[in-house]
Amino acid sequence: MAISKKMEQAINDQINAEFYSAYLYLAMACQADDMQLKGLASWFNVQYQEEVAHAMGFVNYLQERGGRVVLQAIEQPRVEWPDAVAMFEQTCEHEAYVTSRINDLAALAVEEKDFAATQFLNWYVKEQVEEEATAADILGELRLAKDAPGAMLFLLRELGTRTFVAPVIG
Ligand code: OFO
């Protein structure tokens, strides 16, 4: 069954939102690099790659369903944050927003009785739980370490151990 025009549009909008997420985290990675915080830069670089993978998951799905991918302009992200805590505050806020978008997409799939889309979107629903939990955990630890340089250094080094593993989406 061909995908509906409404779902096609919603997925195209989500492709844009995922690429915007990639841009946002790349901007954070670049600032962290400027601050000589390699571990932090590396964590956000991995996050950037994850977001590109999320966008490509939607691109591939839409093509598989016979829809037309229409790439939209990506909004310029913020370029500066006062510190790592502020970066993760925005990360938490942004991931909550993305979760609400994924939920809206899942609701549209149910409304349209598009069960293939429902199945596909389940992966993103679960992924968002993980994305929000990870960002919240790191924010909590960063707040705790804020006034203890030794602890902060340890934490930032630990963030640098994260590696990118291409997700199997769908
Ligand atoms: Fe694509 O999950 Fe973050 O934004």
Side-chain angles (χ1 to χ4, degrees):
M1 193 176 87
I3 199 159
S4 75
K5 283 287 153 203
K6 205 168 163 185
M7 184 60 86
E8 181 186 69
Q9 181 62 52
I11 290 179
N12 271 312
D13 292 345
Q14 190 59 28
I15 290 168
N16 182 262
E18 298 290 349
F19 277 125
Y20 173 79
S21 298
Y23 247 36
L24 178 67
Y25 298 132
L26 183 59
M28 291 186 190
C30 290
Q31 194 197 331
D33 189 69
D34 274 357
M35 294 160 85
Q36 320 292 340
L37 300 174
K38 287 214 172 314
L40 186 65
S42 167
W43 193 92
F44 278 114
N45 257 312
V46 173
Q47 189 65 14
Y48 155 77
Q49 292 176 77
E50 282 229 347
E51 298 301 349
V52 171
H54 293 171
M56 290 311 296
F58 280 110
V59 166
N60 294 334
Y61 176 74
L62 193 50
Q63 286 178 325
E64 221 171 62
R65 292 288 308 274
R68 180 78 170 96
V69 173
V70 179
L71 297 176
Q72 305 164 17
I74 304 166
E75 195 189 320
Q76 181 182 6
R78 179 175 166 180
V79 285
E80 223 168 313
W81 291 265
D83 52 26
V85 170
M87 287 181 190
F88 274 92
E89 279 168 352
Q90 185 165 5
T91 299
C92 285
E93 219 174 273
H94 183 68
E95 289 307 323
Y97 164 69
V98 173
T99 299
S100 76
R101 294 189 58 104
I102 298 288
N103 289 347
D104 287 349
L105 269 175
L108 177 64
V110 169
E111 187 190 306
E112 298 208 331
K113 295 196 171 77
D114 185 340
F115 300 115
T118 299
Q119 288 275 4
F120 171 73
L121 287 164
N122 274 343
W123 185 89
Y124 285 89
V125 171
K126 278 188 266 169
E127 173 72 1
Q128 282 310 120
V129 172
E130 200 186 301
E131 292 268 277
E132 284 198 61
T134 304
D137 285 351
I138 296 172
L139 177 59
E141 289 177 1
L142 283 171
R143 281 182 175 149
L144 194 67
K146 202 173 183 332
D147 301 315
M152 183 60 94
L153 189 63
F154 174 80
L155 183 52
L156 294 180
R157 289 235 167 112
E158 199 178 80
L159 290 179
T161 62
R162 182 187 188 194
T163 52
F164 176 65
V165 180
V168 181
I169 298 175

